[in-house]
Amino acid sequence: MKKKNSIHDIARHLNISATTISFVLNGRAAEKRIGKDLEKKILQYVKKVGYQPNMVARSLRTGKSKILGMMVEYISDPFFSSITRLIEEKAYHLGYKLLYSSTENDTQKSKELIRVYRERQVDGYIIAPAPGIEKDIKALIDDNIPVVLFDRFFPKLLTSNVVIDNRGGCYDATKYFIQNDYRNIAMVTLDADQIQMKDRLNGYIKAVEEKNRKPIIAKIPFTLSNEERVVKILEFIKANRAVDAILFSTNYLAISGLKAIELLQLRIPDDIGIISFDDNTHFALFSPSVTSVAQPIEDIANEVIRLLGKCLSEGNYKKDQQETVVLPTKLMIRNSAVAVNNEHTVKVLA
Amino acid sequence: MKKKNSIHDIARHLNISATTISFVLNGRAAEKRIGKDLEKKILQYVKKVGYQPNMVARSLRTGKSKILGMMVEYISDPFFSSITRLIEEKAYHLGYKLLYSSTENDTQKSKELIRVYRERQVDGYIIAPAPGIEKDIKALIDDNIPVVLFDRFFPKLLTSNVVIDNRGGCYDATKYFIQNDYRNIAMVTLDADQIQMKDRLNGYIKAVEEKNRKPIIAKIPFTLSNEERVVKILEFIKANRAVDAILFSTNYLAISGLKAIELLQLRIPDDIGIISFDDNTHFALFSPSVTSVAQPIEDIANEVIRLLGKCLSEGNYKKDQQETVVLPTKLMIRNSAVAVNNEHTVKVLA
DNA sequence: CTGAAAGCGCTTACAG
DNA sequence: CTGAAAGCGCTTACAG
């Protein structure tokens, strides 16, 4: 092992104190009125020997790690991986690294992760929280550790939050179905009482009830595998023959649904219309292409970093200054939910 | 801020030395012949006050961080995000956390990241290396720091590597085209001299030349955006009218290619056959579904962790014990490359 | 069986 | 303008 040189090795070699080197390295040379020549000499030497300060030692001393803890549901989910990438990039520019992990939406794993992150003294948390971890997050904010929640949040907790207008997005999607003459619009969602899922459901219900129609809802347990979901959705459609449109509350639910519809040999958008909440890079390439409610990924990442940056830089940040940002969604109109019994259908039948 | 209690606070409170507590906490009670009663008393108290050892201090002292540094090209790429998730999970069971980052296949960013990881004293590296970082990786292994490369590697470097049989995968895919009577098979690949790309190209060339045909190759600069790639591929197809099949060397190249083919109004698989190297969860849902050469994600993750675990546990690992694991690929036969002028075509025209 | 003390590599209050 | 020294919270060689 090449011997690592410490700040003291350099001090010895240059015949000055470690203090001076530390000041120079931390850009406090001017403030401490260190001689320009000395500063230059130190900088040159440090560069020459390729000295890298030991961040672990620095962390121990300062109590700051310059590491952010990020927890998402599944890093392999395209929504979360895109967000993570953007946040990583932005955090990097602020001088922070990301320690990240997938929670699998599991309460125990999440608690465990927060514990591990605390042990590591991460400076801030970016969390798409699993259910049941209110207390752990409360403990964090009680200790004045910056936390930004995204995708979902706990209304009773005074955290900074970045979410999207789930309710409005689903309301708009349902209205779009109605405009296109779909009559029996169902919603397939997750059997979870997370706020974002509730809001999505409520947006759908509002639009349907405005038309004096009855909501038709399937709640799929979120523990199921893709195959099991396909079966559930298939059974739901079979049990509700009249359904001619389905709003799926997540990306992967829509993908499972597509499979179920294929198995039932129903045609999209004629026999049944489809809209997916949360867009997917590939939906435009599906056949037919899938209409979706897109989340503003870039904006979410920007807001998360902006809010966290605020807490981080304020030192002792104000608890009463936490904000909740609600970002609008965008309906990506493609071909899985177009007007039935009109131009399109005619074309298909011709 | 709730005052954190240190091992000394506990020592004071229990009227014993920090040493004893440290031994107990590190499971060395038996070895150090600490009294059973004392041990129990310590464990109970530690649990009661919820004491968490400060890992930063431990790292500084032991020189071990229990953190692994992982570098992939883009975390938002489905191949890399799937691998990352699996590795994260497995590393977790070994007691390691992941510090991860996207390199964007950029030499400078990669060098910078390795520097940052070193500052943090990460215990091991898992890297899908960008070009031009041989020296930095060599510096790592010269310092006896465990490194496992995956997806690609530097043949001249004595690292542990996990790769797939790129050559064989492309050879098989090309043969499959030939079996299905495609005549003018082209390959669209990246303009990069990374080994995995070379191997893929070579597999294709071998299969084509075995049939005494001329390779038809397009090399797309890897800096292009999706739109620019579409244009390049479109121009390539136009310039090579006779081409009736294309093997794409990556997932996203295939997706760009699909768009180009759509713009040219060519029909798949009749006018042109398509195979993508690297599968994608959604290829089965495209229309037509896309035949691909799938990488064994789970196996790759397993091997990476196995090799790294070996180095990590051996303490001073043997440089001459590094292995390179080559995993087989699997041809996922779907509908984008089926026999032309036969049953299928007839069905379509009927 | 248990503890006092050194030391990992930094930063910073204090002194001059 | 510059430096000696304490201390962040652990672990471990050494002593008893």
Side-chain angles (χ1 to χ4, degrees):
Chain A
M1 175 87 86
K2 186 170 62 187
K3 85 162 195 309
K4 286 262 186 96
N5 33 24
S6 77
I7 200 165
H8 282 106
D9 295 329
I10 300 191
R12 210 172 304 127
H13 195 273
L14 253 33
N15 250 314
I16 50 178
S17 83
T19 308
T20 307
I21 299 176
S22 178
F23 286 145
V24 168
L25 255 28
N26 289 296
R28 298 175 63 188
E31 168 195 344
K32 293 291 174 178
R33 282 179 298 181
I34 308 254
K36 277 284 167 209
D37 301 353
L38 221 201
E39 184 184 1
K40 199 166 290 176
K41 185 171 147 199
I42 292 173
L43 255 17
Q44 269 175 3
Y45 183 71
V46 158
K47 193 167 180 185
K48 194 184 108 200
V49 297
Y51 165 71
Q52 304 287 2
N54 180 322
M55 298 313 250
V56 174
R58 178 181 287 176
S59 287
L60 180 60
R61 181 57 231 245
T62 62
K64 298 287 161 207
S65 61
K66 286 285 174 180
I67 292 181
L68 264 22
M70 175 139 185
M71 296 164 54
V72 300
E73 197 166 326
Y74 289 102
I75 189 64
S76 53
D77 177 278
F79 170 70
F80 287 118
S81 66
S82 305
I83 293 268
T84 304
R85 179 160 123 64
L86 291 170
I87 287 182
E88 182 222 334
E89 204 178 305
K90 291 168 207 295
Y92 188 82
H93 288 129
L94 261 58
Y96 287 88
K97 299 301 305 162
L98 242 47
L99 205 50
Y100 100 91
S101 207
S102 303
T103 66
E104 293 165 30
N105 219 21
D106 179 81
T107 307
Q108 276 318 311
K109 187 164 185 209
S110 300
K111 283 172 181 282
E112 171 75 2
L113 282 171
I114 291 180
R115 194 183 64 68
V116 172
Y117 286 173
R118 292 203 72 162
E119 283 177 356
R120 306 269 173 205
Q121 329 288 135
V122 312
D123 293 340
Y125 292 76
I126 300 167
I127 308 179
I133 61 164
E134 288 95 329
K135 272 192 199 156
D136 307 74
I137 292 183
K138 180 145 186 344
L140 248 24
I141 56 181
D142 283 349
D143 288 349
N144 289 313
I145 302 173
V147 178
V148 175
L149 265 29
F150 77 101
D151 192 51
R152 45 197 110 152
F153 67 106
F154 301 113
K156 287 177 191 154
L157 244 41
L158 215 57
T159 49
S160 282
N161 311 301
V162 179
V163 290
I164 53 159
D165 183 7
N166 288 290
R167 200 159 187 279
C170 282
Y171 178 80
D172 292 347
T174 310
K175 291 285 278 183
Y176 181 74
F177 271 139
I178 293 171
Q179 283 163 28
N180 285 284
D181 284 331
Y182 286 99
R183 313 228 135 234
N184 294 293
I185 304 159
M187 175 144 194
V188 171
T189 183
L190 250 27
D191 186 13
D193 58 355
Q194 295 173 82
I195 186 159
Q196 83 278 22
M197 291 303 159
K198 283 187 183 170
D199 284 349
R200 290 179 198 177
L201 188 57
N202 286 335
Y204 155 79
I205 291 176
K206 184 177 172 221
V208 169
E209 292 188 339
E210 272 180 10
K211 286 284 162 188
N212 294 314
R213 295 183 197 157
K214 277 226 183 76
I216 309 167
I217 300 162
K219 291 198 177 185
I220 312 288
F222 64 77
T223 48
L224 298 189
S225 70
N226 179 46
E227 285 69 29
E228 294 167 323
R229 284 197 302 264
V230 171
V231 172
K232 284 277 179 209
I233 296 171
L234 193 145
E235 286 167 357
F236 171 73
I237 298 176
K238 270 187 168 170
N240 294 275
R241 290 262 165 198
V243 165
D244 63 356
I246 302 180
L247 174 58
F248 292 94
S249 72
T250 80
N251 210 302
Y252 58 89
L253 237 27
I255 290 175
S256 303
L258 250 19
K259 192 73 198 167
I261 289 168
E262 187 187 322
L263 291 173
L264 287 168
Q265 306 206 19
L266 295 173
R267 291 162 310 154
I268 300 173
D270 303 284
D271 298 331
I272 194 160
I274 295 293
I275 298 181
S276 164
F277 195 95
D278 192 11
D279 196 22
N280 180 299
T281 3
H282 300 134
F283 278 169
L285 294 161
F286 282 21
S287 177
S289 54
V290 178
T291 296
S292 71
V293 180
Q295 306 198 49
I297 309 266
E298 182 98 35
D299 295 345
I300 296 174
N302 281 334
E303 289 300 303
V304 165
I305 286 291
R306 185 179 67 77
L307 293 180
L308 197 62
K310 238 177 66 179
C311 297
L312 248 18
S313 61
E314 268 170 25
N316 233 329
Y317 73 108
K318 320 290 182 301
K319 283 195 188 174
D320 52 350
Q321 280 200 349
Q322 301 307 301
E323 26 175 327
T324 292
V325 176
V326 178
L327 268 9
T329 58
K330 193 178 169 201
L331 187 63
M332 306 297 286
I333 297 181
R334 302 207 183 92
N335 298 324
S336 67
V338 297
V340 186
N341 299 322
N342 64 10
E343 196 200 326
H344 176 85
T345 315
V346 174
K347 241 194 277 171
V348 168
L349 297 179
Chain B
M1 177 85 86
K2 186 171 61 186
K3 82 157 198 309
K4 288 266 188 90
N5 35 24
S6 76
I7 200 166
H8 281 105
D9 296 328
I10 300 191
R12 212 172 301 126
H13 194 273
L14 254 32
N15 251 313
I16 51 177
S17 84
T19 307
T20 307
I21 300 178
S22 178
F23 286 146
V24 169
L25 256 28
N26 288 298
R28 299 176 62 188
E31 168 195 347
K32 293 290 175 178
R33 284 181 294 182
I34 309 251
K36 278 284 167 206
D37 303 353
L38 221 200
E39 184 184 4
K40 201 167 287 178
K41 185 171 148 198
I42 292 173
L43 254 17
Q44 269 175 5
Y45 183 73
V46 158
K47 195 169 182 185
K48 196 185 107 198
V49 298
Y51 165 72
Q52 304 288 3
N54 181 322
M55 298 310 252
V56 174
R58 178 180 288 177
S59 286
L60 179 59
R61 182 55 230 247
T62 63
K64 298 288 161 208
S65 61
K66 286 283 173 182
I67 292 181
L68 264 21
M70 172 136 187
M71 297 165 53
V72 300
E73 195 165 329
Y74 289 102
I75 189 64
S76 53
D77 178 278
F79 169 70
F80 287 118
S81 68
S82 306
I83 292 267
T84 303
R85 180 160 122 63
L86 291 170
I87 287 182
E88 181 221 336
E89 208 178 303
K90 291 167 207 294
Y92 188 82
H93 289 129
L94 262 59
Y96 287 87
K97 300 300 306 163
L98 240 47
L99 205 51
Y100 99 92
S101 208
S102 302
T103 65
E104 295 167 26
N105 219 18
D106 180 82
T107 307
Q108 275 319 308
K109 189 167 182 206
S110 300
K111 283 171 181 281
E112 171 76 1
L113 282 171
I114 291 180
R115 193 182 64 68
V116 171
Y117 285 173
R118 293 204 71 161
E119 283 177 357
R120 306 269 172 205
Q121 330 288 138
V122 313
D123 294 341
Y125 292 76
I126 300 167
I127 308 179
I133 61 163
E134 287 94 329
K135 272 192 199 158
D136 307 75
I137 291 182
K138 179 143 188 347
L140 249 24
I141 55 180
D142 283 348
D143 288 350
N144 289 312
I145 302 172
V147 179
V148 175
L149 265 27
F150 78 101
D151 192 53
R152 46 198 110 152
F153 67 105
F154 302 112
K156 287 179 192 154
L157 244 41
L158 214 55
T159 49
S160 282
N161 310 301
V162 179
V163 290
I164 52 161
D165 183 8
N166 288 291
R167 199 158 189 277
C170 283
Y171 178 80
D172 292 347
T174 309
K175 291 285 279 183
Y176 181 73
F177 271 139
I178 294 171
Q179 282 162 29
N180 283 285
D181 283 333
Y182 288 97
R183 313 228 136 236
N184 294 293
I185 304 159
M187 175 145 194
V188 171
T189 184
L190 250 27
D191 186 13
D193 56 358
Q194 295 173 84
I195 187 160
Q196 83 278 25
M197 291 303 158
K198 282 188 184 167
D199 284 348
R200 291 178 196 176
L201 189 56
N202 287 335
Y204 155 78
I205 291 176
K206 184 177 171 223
V208 170
E209 292 188 339
E210 273 180 10
K211 287 283 160 187
N212 294 313
R213 296 183 196 156
K214 275 227 183 77
I216 310 167
I217 299 161
K219 291 199 176 187
I220 312 289
F222 64 79
T223 48
L224 298 189
S225 69
N226 179 47
E227 285 70 29
E228 293 168 324
R229 283 197 301 264
V230 170
V231 172
K232 283 280 179 206
I233 296 171
L234 193 145
E235 287 168 356
F236 170 72
I237 298 175
K238 269 186 167 171
N240 294 275
R241 289 266 167 193
V243 165
D244 62 358
I246 303 180
L247 174 58
F248 292 94
S249 71
T250 81
N251 209 304
Y252 58 88
L253 236 26
I255 291 174
S256 303
L258 249 21
K259 191 75 198 164
I261 290 168
E262 186 188 322
L263 291 174
L264 287 169
Q265 306 205 20
L266 294 173
R267 291 163 311 156
I268 299 173
D270 303 283
D271 298 332
I272 195 159
I274 295 293
I275 297 182
S276 164
F277 194 94
D278 192 12
D279 196 23
N280 180 299
T281 3
H282 300 135
F283 277 170
L285 294 161
F286 283 21
S287 176
S289 54
V290 177
T291 295
S292 71
V293 179
Q295 307 197 47
I297 309 268
E298 183 98 35
D299 295 345
I300 295 175
N302 281 334
E303 288 301 302
V304 165
I305 286 292
R306 185 180 66 79
L307 293 180
L308 197 61
K310 239 178 63 178
C311 296
L312 249 18
S313 62
E314 270 171 25
N316 233 329
Y317 74 107
K318 319 290 181 301
K319 284 196 185 170
D320 51 350
Q321 281 199 348
Q322 301 306 303
E323 25 175 329
T324 292
V325 176
V326 178
L327 269 9
T329 58
K330 192 179 169 201
L331 187 64
M332 306 297 287
I333 297 182
R334 302 207 184 91
N335 298 323
S336 67
V338 297
V340 185
N341 298 322
N342 64 8
E343 197 198 325
H344 176 85
T345 314
V346 173
K347 241 194 278 174
V348 167
L349 297 178

